[in-house]
Amino acid sequence: TQNAENQIIMCYQSALQHEPNRKDLKALMNLYEISLEKFKKNPKEIKAYLKTSEKPTAVLAALSIVANAIINLDEFVTKQ
């Protein structure tokens, strides 16, 4: 989970040019953990979600969900 947290922070930083605050990081980590459990319970959904991945994994799918959430934040959409 620490590795996932570091990847989420790096993604957030790359997209928004600053680190997430504790509240945002907690929400993104929660989204990651929920998504990870969902994909682990339903492996067929991993391939459906990651249509182009050569090695689709639950971790990659869950991180992709979080990355998608980050780029859909108002702060990212309205960034100039």
Side-chain angles (χ1 to χ4, degrees):
T1 306
Q2 185 64 35
N3 189 34
E5 183 175 316
N6 290 340
Q7 290 179 337
I8 290 168
I9 291 170
M10 193 168 37
C11 178
Y12 191 99
Q13 223 172 357
S14 294
L16 301 172
Q17 306 303 307
H18 64 87
E19 288 189 12
N21 61 37
R22 287 187 189 272
K23 178 184 167 193
D24 291 342
L25 181 57
K26 184 177 179 180
L28 292 169
M29 284 301 298
N30 189 47
L31 176 60
Y32 168 78
E33 289 166 5
I34 290 169
S35 300
L36 182 61
E37 285 304 311
K38 175 188 165 196
F39 286 121
K40 282 182 175 180
K41 289 179 182 176
N42 302 297
K44 289 181 182 178
E45 290 187 29
I46 297 169
K47 287 185 180 181
Y49 187 73
L50 297 175
K51 296 175 184 165
T52 61
S53 178
E54 291 180 25
K55 285 189 159 186
T57 66
V59 170
L60 182 59
L63 286 170
S64 296
I65 294 282
V66 173
N68 190 40
I70 290 169
I71 64 171
N72 281 302
L73 292 171
D74 286 342
E75 185 178 354
F76 180 82
V77 173
T78 60
K79 184 179 158 194
Q80 296 182 13

